[in-house]
Structure formats: structure tokens, C-alpha cells
Amino acid sequence: MDAIAAHKLNSEEIFALLKQFITEVIGEEFVEDMDISKESSFTRDLEMDSIEIVSFSEKVKSHFGEHVDFTGWLSGMDLDQLINLSLGDIIKYIEQCQ
């Protein structure tokens, strides 16, 4: 097993990685005007549309691989849960999957 796969990321490392993915998806010019925190929601605070959320989820899937079934996790949520989903929720989910 290589050292990278064995390293579990802490919540701050996951948060930094998710912020990077958000920046790549919606663009640096939009992110620089935002105060992104663990409480930020995708729809209300980050104003991401469904295409951007799908692109974000693909980045999560690509980075974490089969250890994190992000798409499956999202598919089990109802509309209200998806609308209120925060970065903190995703960080907790990723921490549990590592």
C-alpha cells in the first residue's frame, strides 16, 4: 500500500481540498468574493447550479475513488437535504469513509 493511500486527511485538509474543487468548478473570479466556510451550502451560499454540483461531485469521486461513494450518498437524500447540504456535511462523510 502506498503512503498516499494510507494517509487519512483531517477535516482541515479535506476542507482545503473541497475549496480547491469549488474554485475549479465555479472559477476563481467568483470564489474570491465569497467567504467559504464549513457552514457554506452549495445552493444558497455558493450559488452552484446542478451542473456545477455534478462537476464538483466528479472531482470528489476522481480524487477519493471507490472509498467515497459521494454520488450514492447524495442520491439517498431528499430535495431539502440536498438544498441544505453544507461543506461540513461532506467533510464528515469523507472522514467516515476514509
Side-chain angles (χ1 to χ4, degrees), residues 27-91:
E28 199 168 321
E29 64 276 5
F30 295 109
V31 172
E32 64 189 27
D33 293 333
M34 295 179 174
D35 181 26
I36 300 175
S37 71
K38 291 180 182 177
E39 290 76 34
S40 296
S41 73
F42 285 92
T43 54
R44 283 191 319 268
D45 301 319
L46 304 177
E47 299 177 2
M48 292 174 72
D49 62 28
S50 58
I51 299 296
E52 291 168 330
I53 294 170
V54 169
S55 180
F56 172 82
S57 69
E58 287 299 316
K59 289 184 177 295
V60 171
K61 181 179 175 182
S62 176
H63 183 83
F64 289 100
E66 62 190 45
H67 301 297
V68 177
D69 182 13
F70 188 64
T71 307
W73 181 62
L74 290 177
S75 69
M77 295 183 182
D78 65 30
L79 186 57
D80 286 337
Q81 289 172 309
L82 289 170
I83 289 171
N84 295 312
L85 186 66
S86 71
L87 284 175
D89 297 329
I90 296 169
I91 291 167

Side-chain angles (χ1 to χ4, degrees), residues 2-40:
D2 65 38
I4 294 172
H7 175 70
K8 289 185 178 185
L9 300 177
N10 66 38
S11 66
E12 291 305 315
E13 292 169 320
I14 296 169
F15 177 61
L17 188 61
L18 296 182
K19 278 180 66 172
Q20 176 188 330
F21 294 162
I22 291 166
T23 301
E24 291 170 7
V25 169
I26 65 175
E28 199 168 321
E29 64 276 5
F30 295 109
V31 172
E32 64 189 27
D33 293 333
M34 295 179 174
D35 181 26
I36 300 175
S37 71
K38 291 180 182 177
E39 290 76 34
S40 296

